[in-house]
Amino acid sequence: RMIDTNVRAVHILTKSFVLEFKKKGSGHILNVASLAAFFPGPLFATYYATKAYVLRLTQSVSEELRQSKSGVTVSVLCPGPVNTEFSEVSGMSFGVGKFKIADKVVLDSRAVAEYAVKKLFKGKRVIVPSFLMKTVIFARRIFPDTLLAKAVYKVQNNCRMRMVIKCKLNSKTRRFLSDVLCDFGKNSPKRRSNSVKARAYPAISLR
């Protein structure tokens, strides 16, 4: 489901809207990736990889459009943690106890949306809200991927022990986890046909 949502759906919708906007001669598209797109993601590999796909897809299509002198722009938003209803649905929260990482890292969703739209209309290709997140992305250029992978592994592996991310197993969380586990167990052709078709999707090249 994650690949269907973060890769296939984004790919198909991006191409569809790009082609439609090219006929009109103008338009703006904003894809949503994540800070994770810039890093290897052990223990959360699929999510990190799908967000990297969104980032690179957007950068590539944006350059194609620029080279063709099109009036269409494609941008990608790469935020860090954002305060949304996801924390309520999943039963997770950023920052507990005395160490409130949320106060320093988690961004307000409205502020992120307003910043993203502002930069979109200015033609910014890769949009990263907050100075802290920009610093993190810049700093990654200094370190090799092997070291970054080790660092991300430690962060992901120690999240629960350090209570940076606290998982509250309430009724909503149990239902959420149950649905996810059921999805992994249901790979029948019938189910696959009801989701986005798992066929080789068309190339994004606009030429």
Side-chain angles (χ1 to χ4, degrees):
R1 179 179 290 185
M2 186 180 292
I3 292 174
D4 283 343
T5 302
N6 291 355
V7 177
R8 290 191 175 95
V10 173
H11 179 105
I12 292 169
L13 290 172
T14 298
K15 181 170 185 177
S16 297
F17 279 100
V18 165
L19 295 177
E20 187 63 29
F21 287 161
K22 283 194 72 177
K23 292 177 185 177
K24 297 179 180 179
S26 64
H28 303 279
I29 298 172
L30 178 64
N31 288 329
V32 180
S34 167
L35 187 70
F38 297 93
F39 297 88
L43 301 181
F44 212 7
T46 303
Y47 178 79
Y48 278 64
T50 59
K51 290 304 182 180
Y53 180 89
V54 176
L55 172 63
R56 296 309 184 190
L57 173 71
T58 302
Q59 289 176 315
S60 300
V61 175
S62 178
E63 182 60 20
E64 288 184 27
L65 292 167
R66 191 187 70 82
Q67 291 287 350
S68 65
K69 294 179 171 54
S70 171
V72 182
T73 65
V74 185
S75 301
V76 58
L77 173 64
C78 299
V82 179
N83 186 21
T84 67
E85 68 276 8
F86 175 77
S87 59
E88 297 177 9
V89 174
S90 64
M92 300 175 72
S93 62
F94 294 93
V96 294
K98 295 180 179 179
F99 182 65
K100 295 286 188 179
I101 192 173
D103 296 337
K104 301 179 181 297
V105 176
V106 181
L107 304 176
D108 176 70
S109 56
R110 184 179 182 84
V112 170
E114 290 177 349
Y115 180 84
V117 172
K118 179 181 177 181
K119 293 297 182 180
L120 169 68
F121 288 129
K122 285 187 176 181
K124 182 72 173 177
R125 184 176 295 183
V126 179
I127 303 168
V128 181
S130 94
F131 177 76
L132 178 59
M133 295 301 108
K134 289 185 176 73
T135 303
V136 170
I137 292 174
F138 178 80
R140 75 165 302 282
R141 301 178 184 178
I142 303 172
F143 304 103
D145 284 344
T146 51
L147 184 59
L148 292 172
K150 290 178 181 178
V152 173
Y153 180 90
K154 286 187 176 181
V155 170
Q156 298 287 7
N157 193 44
N158 293 332
C159 271
R160 291 176 183 173
M161 291 186 295
R162 294 176 179 272
M163 297 183 74
V164 172
I165 297 178
K166 181 180 180 182
C167 183
K168 303 172 183 177
L169 291 178
N170 52 30
S171 58
K172 279 188 177 181
T173 305
R174 285 194 292 270
R175 287 197 298 271
F176 173 78
L177 294 175
S178 178
D179 289 342
V180 171
L181 291 174
C182 285
D183 288 337
F184 276 102
K186 296 177 181 177
N187 294 314
S188 66
K190 182 178 181 180
R191 168 173 166 71
R192 293 297 300 168
S193 65
N194 290 333
S195 61
V196 178
K197 293 184 179 179
R199 62 179 182 276
Y201 33 89
I204 195 68
S205 177
L206 304 176
R207 296 182 180 179

